[in-house]
Amino acid sequence: MSRKPVPASARTAPDAALLAELRPGQSVELLKALHILTREGKLNQDSRRKLKQVYHLFQFMEPLLQTLSQDGHAPTLADHGAGKSYLGFILYDLYFKALGRGHIYGIEWRAELVEKSRQLAQELGFDRMSFLNLSVADSADAAELPERIDMVTALHACDTATDDAIAFGLQKRARAMVLVPCCQAEVAACLRQGKALQLARTPLAELWRHPLHTREMGSQITNVLRCLHLEASGYQVTVTELVGWEHSMKNELIIAQYTGQKKRSAQERLRAILQEFGLEQALGARFGLAPVGLQEPPPL
């Protein structure tokens, strides 16, 4: 007995197990366009891990976006180091599309990725997405961006790009920032330069005497300084894991919500840490110890 041929639409349709992994309302066609799903509607292990990270991040972001959307407000979001804009496209698909207002700006320095994102947004009809071919550091003064940005995201922005995203958020008076730092080398380089002097001065320098510990210590100090800088600038800061460590070693998630309550103790501790590690001259201005005179945003 011969079997009837399976229609092409059935061969490429995602199965029930896959659909159970997707968020309600998630566009399967978008995930195929982003190459998260194969043309046959399958999800490999690497794509599953990537999708899990974005979905988990969305769980933290959705309540913030809902607050930013109150009273008919059209929220604006800037995604720094956007890359292929996985995060921006999925945020638009899951939240902004149904909301019917608001705008997402993807900021990426690689021109070919910016052009591909523009083409995909046009194909999908995601007309409230814009993509700028800029570095994070140069984006704050870009004419294409509005004066105010409600939310700033930076997912795995390398080295000092996370600091540039924070500076951007402060200049744009962001009401929320969601940051997942990546590789960090600047503080580690400073620690290496003064290692001999620090070893003679304090036994705490043993914490970064070995090169591996220098790198890890530099990363830890950098994120602590970022959190203190945000608290000193009027943000309430939460630090947690993005996903399980088995999925990514760059797993620290920093969520900052503007309250307007600037913590003087945070600024004092920030300065003390910079002084203790011999970093004040090199990094003091980076972490807000120079006056900036920025207008304050309204709290969430």
Side-chain angles (χ1 to χ4, degrees):
M1 182 177 178
S2 62
R3 295 183 179 179
K4 293 181 179 180
V6 179
S9 59
R11 291 197 301 268
T12 60
D15 56 31
L18 171 62
L19 291 174
E21 295 191 50
L22 304 184
R23 295 276 304 195
Q26 177 72 77
S27 167
V28 171
E29 292 308 312
L30 169 64
L31 297 183
K32 288 181 181 180
L34 292 174
H35 304 293
I36 292 175
L37 291 181
T38 65
R39 293 180 180 178
E40 293 75 30
K42 304 300 181 182
L43 188 67
N44 64 35
Q45 193 58 37
D46 182 62
S47 295
R48 179 176 280 106
R49 182 164 51 246
K50 187 178 299 181
L51 191 61
K52 182 177 180 179
Q53 288 187 44
V54 175
Y55 279 174
H56 196 62
L57 187 59
F58 179 70
Q59 288 181 331
F60 288 103
M61 295 178 65
E62 187 175 22
L64 299 174
L65 289 169
Q66 289 171 343
T67 300
L68 293 172
S69 305
Q70 289 177 352
D71 302 322
H73 181 67
T76 51
L77 183 148
D79 180 27
H80 285 286
K84 296 180 180 179
S85 293
Y86 293 113
L87 177 60
F89 278 114
I90 291 176
L91 284 175
Y92 193 99
D93 191 41
L94 293 180
Y95 189 81
F96 282 78
K97 184 168 65 176
L99 183 67
R101 60 183 186 274
H103 202 103
I104 293 178
Y105 298 89
I107 298 168
E108 170 58 45
W109 64 273
R110 288 167 289 186
E112 67 277 11
L113 296 183
V114 171
E115 185 56 34
K116 287 180 180 179
S117 293
R118 287 172 178 167
Q119 292 175 2
L120 181 55
Q122 185 174 11
E123 291 170 8
L124 295 169
F126 288 7
D127 55 354
R128 287 176 285 111
M129 292 190 78
S130 302
F131 300 92
L132 284 67
N133 183 203
L134 293 167
S135 69
V136 181
D138 293 335
S139 60
D141 298 318
E144 301 95 324
L145 287 168
E147 183 180 349
R148 288 287 308 277
I149 292 288
D150 294 308
M151 179 181 286
V152 173
T153 61
L155 181 59
H156 294 152
C158 286
D159 201 16
T160 59
T162 297
D163 301 307
D164 293 334
I166 291 173
F168 173 95
L170 295 178
Q171 183 169 332
K172 293 293 186 180
R173 293 169 284 148
R175 295 167 63 192
M177 301 191 212
V178 180
L179 312 165
V180 181
C182 193
C183 51
Q184 298 150 26
E186 186 179 39
V187 170
C190 293
L191 292 177
R192 279 193 292 270
Q193 289 177 355
K195 187 178 294 186
L197 178 62
Q198 292 290 343
L199 280 167
R201 188 177 70 85
T202 172
L204 289 177
E206 291 293 336
L207 294 173
W208 67 93
R209 177 162 64 93
H210 298 286
L212 176 62
H213 294 161
T214 304
R215 187 178 66 203
E216 293 176 345
M217 193 70 176
S219 177
Q220 178 78 354
I221 292 170
T222 301
N223 286 338
V224 169
L225 292 171
R226 287 166 174 163
C227 292
L228 289 171
H229 180 28
L230 286 164
E231 289 178 338
S233 301
Y235 289 80
Q236 177 183 333
V237 175
T238 302
V239 181
T240 187
E241 294 179 2
L242 175 57
V243 287
W245 291 104
E246 71 274 13
H247 294 288
S248 174
M249 293 303 292
K250 303 301 181 183
N251 197 35
E252 187 167 338
L253 171 61
I254 301 171
I255 301 173
Q257 301 176 64
Y258 191 81
T259 64
Q261 298 178 355
K262 298 182 179 181
K263 292 185 177 179
R264 180 176 296 178
S265 61
Q267 188 173 42
E268 292 170 351
R269 288 174 181 267
L270 172 61
R271 185 182 297 276
I273 290 174
L274 289 171
Q275 291 174 342
E276 179 66 26
F277 289 97
L279 301 170
E280 187 174 22
Q281 183 174 355
L283 301 178
R286 165 74 57 81
F287 291 105
L289 296 185
V292 291
L294 298 176
Q295 184 180 349
E296 299 179 6
L300 281 174

